[in-house]
């Protein structure tokens, strides 16, 4: 989504800012997007010196990313069969893949993986699927946009009797999971800013739109990422303290939202009845604890504050498995909320279920969606009573052996709300 500018004699960063943004006030965006300028002599404008021949990245402002996407991709009409997957690259439509897999997550970024025959005689294939080119694209299911994305790993394979290609990618905001902040931003520190303000500041050098559907919570007194720390890792740590999930929206921008724990399930699934194919628990017993205690950092001679959440499902069995951690920049109610969120997410990560279903749509004909609720009864998978789950992730796939299938990763419905469940599926 960014442009480039080759510096000529007489150029100044403020003049370049005026040319591309209509104001000198955006010069900092250009500096942030060009780490090679760090350490250069400072000009009379109090900005790094640039030289003729320099190639500068000119990032789009985040609000223009959405406009550009809507103009070039989102508003494009896709004429496709109901269950057909299409990827659009530079206005060209590719579909009828041999195999595909699209994963949609509530607490990390979505991703896709496609494979099909490769026609190297056509220029559009060579240009669209170049390795390490980071081409932008849009992923559609039928006529519905799933997300705007980036192809990060186009590959081809040639044998004596076939030529095939595969592509892997993620939403536009996926770069935040790959990279730390540009070195031009260091030392970086956020003082009395809330999560949304911090996220917008960190996404700005990449021209990345940010949408918050959740209250960002109280400001953080003072937080700072390490120079090598990836942006999403830093933001996710802060988001957990505020009970917020980070994912992506359909435009490909960063999304801050909360788990959907209210309302009726979109479907009721029973073992042995289609579309049910299989179900199994995916437990992580080494990260399941009886007591979760958060400590505030010690300051001078002031002792650390602490707050503990108990897991009655272990305590009533006389099992001691304590876990203690430090909650940075959390005081009073923030400390309590952070530990509650940690305890709830323990159940999400330690006791999920993997449910495999036939097809890609529920009984009402709607495609399965993340962050919705589902009711499941499957005694063979140790779900001994009908239980309401939150759909943490949806993986729709097609392959030559299984056809169209959907895999839902399910977590207990209150897990992301920081609530210890009173009843768990494996207890009668």
């Amino acid at each position: 989504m960014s442009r480039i500018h080759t510096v000529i004699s007489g150029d100044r960063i403020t003049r370049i800012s005026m040319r591309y943004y209509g104001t000198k006030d955006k010069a900092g965006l250009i500096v942030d997007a060009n780490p090679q300028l760090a350490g250069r002599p400072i000009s009379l404008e109090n900005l790094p010196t640039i030289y003729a021949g320099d190639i500068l990245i000119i990032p789009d402002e985040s609000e223009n990313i959405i406009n550009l996407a809507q103009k070039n991709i989102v508003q494009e009409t896709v004429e496709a069969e109901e269950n057909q997957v299409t990827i659009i690259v530079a206005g060209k439509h590719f579909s009828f893949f041999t195999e595909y897999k699209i994963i949609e997550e509530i607490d990390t970024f979505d991703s896709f993986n496609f494979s099909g025959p490769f026609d190297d005689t056509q220029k559009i294939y060579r240009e669209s699927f170049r390795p390490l080119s980071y081409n932008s694209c849009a992923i559609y299911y039928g006529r519905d946009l799933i997300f705007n994305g980036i192809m990060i790993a186009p590959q081809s394979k040639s044998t004596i009797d076939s030529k095939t290609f595969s592509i892997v990618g993620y939403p536009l905001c996926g770069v935040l999971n790959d990279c730390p902040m540009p070195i031009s931003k260091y030392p970086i520190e956020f003082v009395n800013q809330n999560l949304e303000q911090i996220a917008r500041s960190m996404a700005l050098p990449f021209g990345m739109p940010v949408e918050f559907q959740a209250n960002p919570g109280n400001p953080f007194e003072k937080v700072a990422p390490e120079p090598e720390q990836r942006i999403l890792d830093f933001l996710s740590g802060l988001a957990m303290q505020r009970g917020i999930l980070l994912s992506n929206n359909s435009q490909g921008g960063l999304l801050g939202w909360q788990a959907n724990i209210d309302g009726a399930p979109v479907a009721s699934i029973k073992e042995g009845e289609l579309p049910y194919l299989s179900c199994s628990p995916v437990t992580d017993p080494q990260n399941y604890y009886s007591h979760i205690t958060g400590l505030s950092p010690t300051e001078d001679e002031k002792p650390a504050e602490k707050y503990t959440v108990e897991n009655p499902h272990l305590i009533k069995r006389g099992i001691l498995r304590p876990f203690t951690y430090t909650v940075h920049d959390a005081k009073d109610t923030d400390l309590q909320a952070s530990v509650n969120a940690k305890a709830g997410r323990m159940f999400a990560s330690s006791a999920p279920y993997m449910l495999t279903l036939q097809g890609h749509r529920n009984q009402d004909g709607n495609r399965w969606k993340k962050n919705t609720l589902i009711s499941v009864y499957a005694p063979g998978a140790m779900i001994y009573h009908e239980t309401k789950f939150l759909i943490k992730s949806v993986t729709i796939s097609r392959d030559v052996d299984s056809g169209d299938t959907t895999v839902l990763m399910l977590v207990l419905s209150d897990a992301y709300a920081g609530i210890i469940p009173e009843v768990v599926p494996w207890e009668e």
Side-chain angles (χ1 to χ4, degrees), residues 136-344:
S136 60
C137 61
I139 311 300
Y140 278 82
Y141 184 84
R143 298 184 179 186
D144 298 329
L145 176 71
I146 294 181
F147 60 80
N148 289 327
I150 297 291
M151 289 188 294
I152 58 173
Q155 297 188 24
S156 62
K157 181 178 181 179
S158 174
T159 68
I160 195 169
D161 56 5
S162 68
K163 296 177 182 179
T164 58
F165 78 103
S166 63
I167 50 177
V168 176
Y170 51 37
L172 297 176
C173 60
V175 65
L176 305 180
N177 192 34
D178 291 349
C179 300
M181 289 292 286
I183 192 62
S184 55
K185 298 291 287 185
Y186 284 96
I188 184 171
E189 188 174 73
F190 301 100
V191 179
N192 292 325
Q193 294 189 44
N194 65 32
L195 179 62
E196 182 176 3
Q197 292 170 320
I198 295 171
R200 291 188 183 280
S201 179
M202 299 189 82
L204 191 59
F206 301 89
M208 195 59 55
V210 175
E211 176 189 2
F212 262 68
Q213 296 179 0
N215 186 325
N218 294 333
F220 292 89
E221 184 176 322
K222 184 167 63 176
V223 291
E226 297 296 330
E228 72 278 6
Q229 190 172 16
R230 297 182 181 187
I231 295 170
L232 183 62
D233 176 64
F234 175 69
L235 292 177
S236 294
L238 301 182
M240 181 179 292
Q241 293 189 39
R242 297 297 185 258
I244 295 174
L245 306 176
L246 295 180
S247 184
N248 59 276
N249 58 24
S250 61
Q251 296 295 329
L254 181 66
L255 172 65
W257 61 345
Q258 290 181 317
N260 173 24
I261 63 172
D262 298 319
V266 297
S268 179
I269 300 296
K270 293 185 179 181
E271 180 181 272
E273 299 179 8
L274 290 177
Y276 178 99
L277 293 178
S278 67
C279 185
S280 60
V282 190
T283 57
D284 181 8
Q286 290 184 290
N287 290 295
Y288 188 62
Y289 301 102
S290 60
H291 302 76
I292 303 93
T293 300
L295 302 176
S296 64
T298 56
E299 298 178 0
D300 300 325
E301 297 182 356
K302 182 181 178 181
E305 298 178 359
K306 64 181 180 179
Y307 179 77
T308 299
V309 172
E310 299 178 355
N311 178 1
H313 303 290
L314 286 184
I315 294 175
K316 69 183 181 182
R317 298 179 182 277
I319 297 173
L320 176 65
R321 290 180 55 81
F323 176 78
T324 303
Y325 71 110
T326 300
V327 184
H328 296 283
D329 196 64
K331 298 178 181 179
D332 302 328
T333 57
D334 285 346
L335 176 63
Q336 182 175 337
S338 176
V339 180
N340 285 332
K342 185 83 167 179

Side-chain angles (χ1 to χ4, degrees), residues 260-268 362 364 371-375 388-391 413:
N260 173 24
I261 63 172
D262 298 319
V266 297
S268 179
N362 62 28
D364 293 331
N371 206 17
T372 57
L373 299 170
I374 185 174
S375 175
K388 185 167 69 173
F389 290 95
L390 175 72
I391 299 179
S413 59

